[in-house]
Amino acid sequence: MQGKQPLFSFGVISDVQYADIPDGRSYLGVPRYYRHSMLVLQRAVTNWNNQGTKLKFAVNLGDIVDGYCPKEDSLNAVEKVVSEFEKFNGCVHHMIGNHCLYNLPRKDLLPLLKIPTMDGSAYYEFSPTPEYRFVVLDGYDISAIGWPHDHPKTLQALKVLQEKNPNTDKNSPSGLVGLERRFLKFNGGISQGQLKWLDEILQDATHKKQKVVVCCHLPLDPGASSKTALCWNYDEVMEIIHRYDCVKVCLAGHDHKGGHSIDSHGVHHRVLEAALECPPGSDAFGYVDVYDDRLCLLGMDRMCSTEMVFNS
């Protein structure tokens, strides 16, 4: 796209998972750098600000604080990360992830992240230009974490896990085969109310001839993610998305290694690499240039640059 100016640009980062604790490893043995992730975020904000007025906003794909953060430090840790995001010279659109919900309940978390809410859910949409619309999904709308223990959505989530995962540890995929491996407690689902809302938004975007970018902490396509990281009812979400031609790209986090796929309807799925797993001195963030027929992700270091071309 040399010589052509984008319609607009925005910053991206995912899975900061900061905690003021020594480095550790994931359950798969992947190194995690809990304190260094804050430095990655700080460099991301500096980079975005150095773009001048180019970046219209930034998107955080979720999980700003790690689940291993001591509970007595959770509020302070979340506030510390949020304050770093607020140093960006523009608006930051946040979404919640499982690690966010390990630390704070929704009623405390959503106001801190300035997430618009409907009855405690965290899905919303915004339109940075007349040509484009962004839809932010709440992948933990049906979840065993974040809601009160007796909340109907908690009970619905526990029912799903009881039916789909026979393990005592509902975070274990042991014995689960293929796509069934997604039914883990650290994942979640999209409620029927949210699915109805998504359908209405996409109808309206189609009427207005807008292109849509869908953002969700949980990946929505098996081709871009490990099966253990998928949204429980990703298939229902994608059935709605595939009814329309307006959705061009789905952005996600959660699966730290990152990924990219193009599904059967030509929708690009880009899972972002995690800031948490950057060794000291390395980075994983970037910004996206948006054109009428493509999104170009310019990634730093461990975040792979990606050109996502679609029919305009």
Side-chain angles (χ1 to χ4, degrees):
M1 303 303 293
Q2 187 173 0
K4 185 176 181 180
Q5 291 299 310
L7 298 172
F8 62 94
S9 303
F10 63 97
V12 287
I13 195 168
S14 188
D15 297 270
V16 174
Q17 290 182 224
Y18 165 74
D20 187 12
I21 59 175
D23 295 341
R25 292 180 180 272
S26 72
Y27 69 97
L28 293 175
V30 179
R32 292 183 164 181
Y33 306 93
Y34 299 107
R35 292 181 176 127
H36 179 255
S37 66
M38 179 67 79
L39 301 179
V40 177
L41 173 58
Q42 290 170 347
R43 290 195 290 266
V45 171
T46 298
N47 178 279
W48 298 339
N49 286 338
N50 286 343
Q51 304 293 331
T53 58
K54 178 180 178 178
L55 300 190
K56 204 171 185 71
F57 56 91
V59 171
N60 160 39
L61 273 293
D63 276 359
I64 61 172
V65 176
D66 194 81
Y68 281 126
C69 178
K71 291 297 171 279
E72 64 273 17
D73 296 336
S74 289
L75 178 59
N76 180 62
V78 170
E79 289 176 338
K80 186 175 180 179
V81 179
V82 168
S83 70
E84 292 299 329
F85 273 109
E86 289 178 344
K87 293 176 183 177
F88 170 55
N89 297 330
C91 178
V92 179
H93 296 282
H94 293 279
M95 59 207 74
I96 55 174
N98 52 310
H99 284 266
C100 305
L101 296 171
Y102 296 151
N103 281 277
L104 293 177
R106 285 172 171 267
K107 65 181 180 61
D108 298 331
L109 187 65
L110 271 55
L112 285 169
L113 298 177
K114 298 186 171 89
I115 294 178
T117 180
M118 291 177 278
D119 297 324
S121 294
Y123 54 90
Y124 61 99
E125 50 94 16
F126 63 97
S127 184
T129 66
E131 301 94 338
Y132 271 87
R133 198 148 173 182
F134 282 67
V135 173
V136 178
L137 298 179
D138 181 351
Y140 292 88
D141 202 9
I142 304 300
S143 173
I145 51 176
W147 297 103
H149 294 304
D150 57 350
H151 194 282
K153 290 185 177 180
T154 305
L155 300 178
Q156 184 179 349
L158 292 173
K159 185 172 184 288
V160 169
L161 290 170
Q162 194 64 36
E163 291 174 353
K164 298 291 188 178
N165 188 334
N167 296 305
T168 303
D169 177 6
K170 299 303 180 184
N171 277 324
S172 170
S174 178
L176 300 179
V177 178
L179 291 169
E180 296 298 301
R181 291 172 65 81
R182 71 189 187 273
F183 290 106
L184 304 173
K185 190 176 180 180
F186 59 68
N187 297 328
I190 308 289
S191 68
Q192 291 302 307
Q194 187 178 173
L195 290 173
K196 182 175 182 293
W197 170 86
L198 173 63
D199 188 63
E200 292 169 352
I201 292 295
L202 298 187
Q203 284 184 49
D204 187 60
T206 300
H207 176 72
K208 293 177 178 175
K209 295 181 168 55
Q210 293 175 314
K211 299 175 182 71
V212 176
V213 177
V214 172
C215 302
C216 183
H217 181 67
L218 292 169
L220 299 172
D221 185 64
S225 163
S226 67
K227 295 174 179 63
T228 54
L230 289 166
C231 176
W232 287 346
N233 58 336
Y234 78 90
D235 48 347
E236 289 186 280
V237 178
M238 292 311 303
E239 193 277 325
I240 292 173
I241 287 174
H242 287 159
R243 290 176 194 168
Y244 307 94
D245 292 328
C246 58
V247 177
K248 305 302 182 182
V249 173
C250 295
L251 299 177
H254 194 51
D255 192 7
H256 292 183
K257 68 181 183 300
H260 176 226
S261 66
I262 305 173
D263 69 25
S264 59
H265 287 64
V267 178
H268 287 262
H269 296 261
R270 182 66 171 88
V271 179
L272 301 184
E273 293 81 1
L276 172 67
E277 293 180 1
C278 293
S282 64
D283 288 309
F285 62 84
Y287 65 87
V288 179
D289 287 334
V290 180
Y291 301 89
D292 57 357
D293 67 342
R294 71 195 63 207
L295 269 63
C296 297
L297 167 61
L298 288 307
M300 295 293 294
D301 202 357
R302 294 171 65 88
M303 184 172 288
C304 298
S305 295
T306 313
E307 185 176 54
M308 294 166 275
V309 182
F310 45 79
N311 294 326
S312 58

